[in-house]
Amino acid sequence: MELLPLVWFIAIAVLWVGYLVLEGFDFGVGMLLPVIGKDNTDRRVMINAIGPVWDGNEVWLITAVGAMFAAFPAWYASVFSGFYLPVLVILVALIVRGVAFEYRGKGDTARWRAWWDRAIVFGSAAPAVLWGLILANIVRGVPMDADGIVSAGPADLLSPYAVLGGLTTLTLFALHGAVFLTLKTAGPVRARARAAALRSAVVAVPAAVAFLAWTQLAYGAAWTWPVAAVAAAALVAAVPLVAGGREGWSFTATALTIGATAVVLFGSLFPDVLPSTTDPAHSLTIANASSADYALTVMTWVAVVFLPLVIAYQAWSYWVFRKRVSREHIEPAPAYGGTHTAPGTAADAGAGAAG
């Protein structure tokens, strides 16, 4: 096996790990908006908690997909054509979610905010489910011919393993988002987030453990067993940690669970990038799906120069907006029918128009 295709497979796996860990808590916060946010001020606290970082977290997805397109064009073409419908739903959901964050505070009526709140919930929950469904199907394999054309129908995409994968990401992200809110907010939102985290864990823990065990038994490699064990142990440990108020450690544990689960998926996939259930000879592998060495070499030099800068900038933004957000940071909304004034605190400014 040539070195550069292997390097870029690992790089793409790392990008997906970063995306799922970082965007995972964004999705969780969005899904829990009506559960934890009992009034408009609480919901503004929640949105402002992720306001400075949510769009930066999506850069990991753009980079991961771009790397797939450039390094493994056949893989990119087969995945995004074979999973056209769920990918389209994810794209629409992400657009709706971004628009909702920006436009929620543009109106002064409860009905206006309620519609955008629903858009945030949809834009967070749909990708949370569908990314798990897609990743599980990639590991499981899809009907694919010798030309890389995927002919998967609803029955193929909604197999029990894939459905469990979707349930796992949905509940893990909800738990991850709730734990993030315990770390990033103060007051009643923090208390309700802790309770929501404990309730989410009731479903997330058994679903994730079952999914990891199924993945290992059906598709896993020998070296991914300890990684799966770390993922399960971290998830179990996150529950008493969040119950005991150890927010930093519990967030580290849920992040480790999501990251390690992604490593298990990509490790189980290797050396394929998209297995064929029609005929194993039709499977796309690191070797037969990669770009030419020259393209991979140029990409490597670009990544070496620019990737550290992107990571440094994002780390800086997390540091700048590291303080907790509470109801005291939220300016009162204007009376319905009045003139909307832009939020004036630093936390509100970081969230955009989240009023």
Side-chain angles (χ1 to χ4, degrees):
M1 182 181 297
E2 295 185 7
L3 178 60
L4 284 177
L6 175 60
V7 168
W8 274 99
F9 176 80
I10 295 173
I12 289 169
V14 170
L15 291 170
W16 275 103
V17 168
Y19 172 70
L20 295 172
V21 170
L22 296 177
E23 191 82 306
F25 69 75
D26 284 352
F27 290 149
V29 171
M31 287 186 286
L32 295 171
L33 195 64
V35 176
I36 297 175
K38 297 304 182 182
D39 58 23
N40 181 52
T41 302
D42 283 348
R43 294 178 186 183
R44 289 175 66 190
V45 169
M46 296 173 66
I47 294 172
N48 287 343
I50 61 173
V53 298
W54 71 267
D55 49 355
N57 293 341
E58 289 189 349
V59 172
W60 289 80
L61 173 64
I62 297 169
T63 308
V65 172
M68 289 175 63
F69 171 77
F72 299 98
W75 185 19
Y76 171 90
S78 294
V79 166
F80 287 93
S81 61
F83 299 104
Y84 180 82
L85 183 57
V87 168
L88 178 61
V89 173
I90 289 173
L91 180 61
V92 171
L94 293 178
I95 293 172
V96 168
R97 177 170 167 264
V99 172
F101 282 142
E102 297 298 329
Y103 278 84
R104 184 184 186 276
K106 302 298 184 183
D108 297 329
T109 67
R111 183 177 183 182
W112 173 272
R113 294 190 180 103
W115 276 107
W116 290 118
D117 287 345
R118 295 186 191 102
I120 292 172
V121 173
F122 164 74
S124 301
V129 173
L130 293 175
W131 280 131
L133 189 79
I134 290 172
L135 290 172
N137 272 299
I138 290 175
V139 173
R140 176 177 175 266
V142 292
M144 183 170 57
D145 63 21
D147 295 322
I149 298 175
V150 176
S151 56
D156 299 302
L157 299 181
L158 296 176
S159 67
Y161 174 72
V163 171
L164 180 59
L167 176 64
T168 298
T169 51
L170 177 71
T171 55
L172 271 183
F173 291 168
L175 172 60
H176 194 39
V179 172
F180 175 79
L181 287 174
T182 67
L183 179 66
K184 195 64 175 62
T185 64
V189 172
R190 181 186 180 191
R192 286 195 292 269
R194 181 177 293 114
L198 296 175
R199 291 196 300 269
S200 299
V202 173
V203 181
V205 172
V209 171
F211 181 65
L212 286 165
W214 193 337
T215 301
Q216 279 301 124
L217 292 171
Y219 314 105
W223 69 268
T224 56
W225 274 107
V227 181
V230 168
L235 181 59
V236 172
V239 178
L241 286 171
V242 71
R246 305 293 297 274
E247 288 97 351
W249 283 109
S250 58
F251 182 74
T252 301
T254 54
L256 180 59
T257 296
I258 294 171
T261 300
V263 170
V264 169
L265 292 175
F266 280 92
S268 302
L269 184 61
F270 181 84
D272 291 336
V273 291
L274 187 61
S276 171
T277 57
T278 304
D279 185 344
H282 298 163
S283 298
L284 295 178
T285 67
I286 292 175
N288 66 23
S290 64
S291 296
D293 284 347
Y294 179 78
L296 295 179
T297 301
V298 172
M299 289 173 57
T300 301
W301 282 110
V302 171
V304 167
V305 173
F306 289 102
L307 187 58
L309 298 177
V310 174
I311 294 175
Y313 173 78
Q314 190 163 23
W316 174 80
S317 68
Y318 271 88
W319 175 255
V320 169
F321 296 100
R322 66 189 180 278
K323 292 184 179 180
R324 291 181 183 270
V325 183
S326 67
R327 292 176 65 93
E328 287 71 27
H329 294 132
I330 305 298
E331 290 186 353
Y336 297 147
T339 302
H340 178 75
T341 56
T345 67
D348 282 329

